[in-house]
Amino acid sequence: MNIAYRFRIYPTEEQKILLGKTFGCCRFLYNQMLNDKIQEYKKIKKMLKNTPAMYKKAYPFLKEVDSLALANVQLHLEKAYKNFFRDPKVGFPRFKSKHHSKNSYTTNAVNGNILVGDNRIRLPKLKWISMKKHREPAENCRLKSVTVSMEPSGKYFASLLYEGYSCENQAADKDYSNVKILGIDYAMQGMAVFSEEIEMEEAGFFRKNEKRLAREQRKLSRCVKGSHNYVRQKKNVARCHEKIRSQRRDHLHKLSRRITDQYDIVAVEDIDMKAMSQCLHFGKSVQDNGYGMFRNMLEYKLEWKGKELVKVDRFFPSSKKCSKCGKIKKELKLSERVYRCTCGNEMDRDRNAAINIREEVRRMLAA
């Protein structure tokens, strides 16, 4: 399987200029190729097979940047077309905006054109760039590609993709009768509730930084658009968003790692997070929790260790079912946060659901 490592890089002023040219050329080529495909289809109702080499004569500035970066533009555009014809709901490929698109490009490792040192990396056309290498890649892995990106805050990052990563094979011929299973139920307050006591810090990082972000956005609204102060304040707003995003990812990475080390199987409910965010105007709270990201982190970290993430059907009555006697309530309002059963069971509604999810997965594995 593949594994990626993201390191921060510190290019010089000359390298920043060349990186900006590369971002712009990739965006320009993508828009030009997409436009030509659309025009060709309107004329003869056939798909145009165009390549970056067809544009270098008309636009000589494309020769100044990495050719493999332009080749990956073609691959990304073809993938977007395939995704659209596979599932029209994905949407037709759209043109990239200079102000709203992500500044990034991907280059492939071919014939030693990319070298990774202790605290630096050599990229095509850029030579050596200083890099904060905070960890060593896994052994016996081959470098496949590098994606260079620039955040709105002005920071540069290089994502190194390695292939050949081997995960632990602990799941083969596993005896499910003695495995440690953890049930997780989504909760609006605190992101999730577990079937067992697990200490976790209070989440909701957007809510904690909401006042500061609003203050910086008000300052931005008072600046003259396009002025030096506007550009500087826009970076301050981007830094606020970046801090919130980093805090959330750090919290979820640490929590998912701790759960992965302690348990063999994690049971979750297969809920639609997009529909959840649109339900009852809970969009800000749902997105601030980052439960979908947390579930993805659990899945690949468990896979690395040869463990499993099992999803329970979303229509399983985890909240309405009593975790002690098994009786199902016909009606249970969302406002009822404490589950009370005729058998005498009285406990937190979400904790009751997490236990039911855990037991349902135990039953599925036993079957």
Side-chain angles (χ1 to χ4, degrees):
M1 60 185 298
N2 297 336
I3 182 171
Y5 299 90
R6 191 168 185 254
F7 303 117
R8 185 175 176 182
I9 58 176
Y10 301 87
T12 62
E13 292 301 322
E14 293 181 359
Q15 290 171 338
K16 287 181 181 179
I17 293 173
L18 187 53
L19 285 172
K21 288 182 179 180
T22 308
F23 297 147
C25 287
C26 290
R27 182 175 58 249
F28 170 82
L29 184 63
Y30 185 94
N31 291 339
Q32 197 68 28
M33 293 178 69
L34 177 58
N35 181 66
D36 291 345
K37 282 180 179 292
I38 295 173
Q39 298 303 324
E40 184 75 8
Y41 186 79
K42 288 181 179 179
K43 289 180 182 178
I44 60 175
K45 300 299 180 181
K46 288 186 179 180
M47 189 67 66
L48 175 65
K49 295 183 179 179
N50 46 357
T51 62
M54 299 167 57
Y55 297 88
K56 289 187 176 181
K57 188 174 181 180
Y59 307 102
F61 57 85
L62 294 176
K63 299 178 182 178
E64 299 179 20
V65 302
D66 185 9
S67 59
L68 290 174
L70 302 180
N72 278 287
V73 171
Q74 178 188 359
L75 296 177
H76 293 161
L77 180 58
E78 291 177 354
K79 184 179 179 180
Y81 262 93
K82 288 180 181 178
N83 290 339
F84 170 71
F85 288 112
R86 175 181 53 83
D87 184 8
K89 293 181 180 178
V90 174
F92 189 78
R94 294 181 294 179
F95 293 101
K96 293 184 179 293
S97 168
K98 179 180 180 181
H99 303 285
H100 302 290
S101 298
K102 185 178 180 181
N103 290 320
S104 67
Y105 76 89
T106 302
T107 182
N108 297 45
V110 180
N111 298 327
N113 62 334
I114 301 176
L115 297 177
V116 181
D118 292 334
N119 287 307
R120 58 179 186 167
I121 182 173
R122 194 184 77 177
L123 296 172
K125 299 280 187 177
L126 290 167
K127 298 183 180 180
W128 290 100
I129 306 177
S130 299
M131 179 176 68
K132 183 67 175 179
K133 193 177 180 183
H134 58 269
R135 62 182 299 186
E136 289 295 330
E139 297 180 356
N140 302 323
C141 291
R142 185 176 68 88
L143 182 62
K144 186 177 181 181
S145 64
V146 176
T147 300
V148 182
S149 60
M150 186 186 76
E151 295 292 328
S153 60
K155 297 178 182 179
Y156 291 84
F157 292 90
S159 180
L160 282 62
L161 181 66
Y162 288 86
E163 63 177 354
Y165 179 79
S166 57
C167 60
E168 300 178 20
N169 189 17
Q170 298 178 357
D173 301 325
K174 181 179 288 184
D175 182 13
Y176 289 113
S177 58
N178 297 320
V179 294
K180 293 184 67 177
I181 303 178
L182 178 70
I184 301 178
D185 181 57
Y186 174 75
M188 196 66 66
Q189 299 293 333
M191 193 261 297
V193 174
F194 308 100
S195 57
E196 300 177 14
E197 290 290 343
I198 294 181
E199 293 184 2
M200 57 179 288
E201 63 176 292
E202 185 181 354
F205 298 103
F206 181 83
R207 297 288 187 183
K208 293 178 182 178
N209 296 273
E210 196 170 14
K211 289 185 179 179
R212 181 191 171 192
L213 178 61
R215 184 169 61 249
E216 296 296 336
Q217 287 174 332
R218 281 197 300 271
K219 291 180 182 179
L220 179 65
S221 67
R222 299 189 186 105
C223 296
V224 179
K225 194 169 184 179
S227 64
H228 177 73
N229 288 339
Y230 179 86
V231 175
R232 184 176 59 183
Q233 186 59 29
K234 193 174 181 181
K235 283 190 176 182
N236 291 337
V237 174
R239 289 192 187 100
C240 289
H241 282 291
E242 186 180 42
K243 181 180 179 181
I244 296 169
R245 186 169 64 249
S246 299
Q247 287 177 326
R248 183 185 298 115
R249 291 183 66 89
D250 180 69
H251 167 67
L252 296 180
H253 270 300
K254 290 177 179 177
L255 181 61
S256 58
R257 178 60 183 269
R258 190 148 47 93
I259 291 174
T260 304
D261 292 339
Q262 294 178 6
Y263 296 92
D264 301 312
I265 295 175
V266 177
V268 298
E269 196 173 12
D270 187 20
I271 57 178
D272 187 356
M273 297 308 302
K274 185 176 181 181
M276 183 73 74
S277 64
Q278 297 172 352
C279 176
L280 300 176
H281 306 287
F282 288 154
K284 187 181 291 186
S285 298
V286 171
Q287 293 173 11
D288 191 18
N289 287 332
Y291 182 71
M293 185 191 302
F294 172 66
R295 203 167 56 184
N296 292 337
M297 289 179 180
L298 275 177
E299 189 169 11
Y300 75 75
K301 287 178 182 178
L302 287 167
E303 186 179 355
W304 284 354
K305 290 182 172 292
K307 301 178 180 181
E308 297 179 59
L309 177 76
V310 183
K311 296 180 180 180
V312 176
D313 188 82
R314 66 184 63 176
F315 298 107
F316 173 71
S318 58
S319 298
K320 296 183 178 181
K321 185 178 180 181
C322 178
S323 58
K324 287 191 176 181
C325 67
K327 185 178 179 181
I328 298 176
K329 276 190 174 183
K330 292 184 178 180
E331 293 184 3
L332 183 66
K333 296 180 180 180
L334 189 62
S335 58
E336 297 180 35
R337 306 316 303 171
V338 178
Y339 185 90
R340 294 181 176 88
C341 183
T342 54
C343 68
N345 180 25
E346 184 174 332
M347 62 191 307
D348 180 71
R349 170 199 177 115
D350 296 324
R351 176 62 58 81
N352 178 73
I355 295 174
N356 286 329
I357 292 172
R358 181 192 64 188
E359 296 306 316
E360 175 65 12
V361 167
R362 198 183 298 277
R363 184 196 63 78
M364 290 167 56
L365 295 176

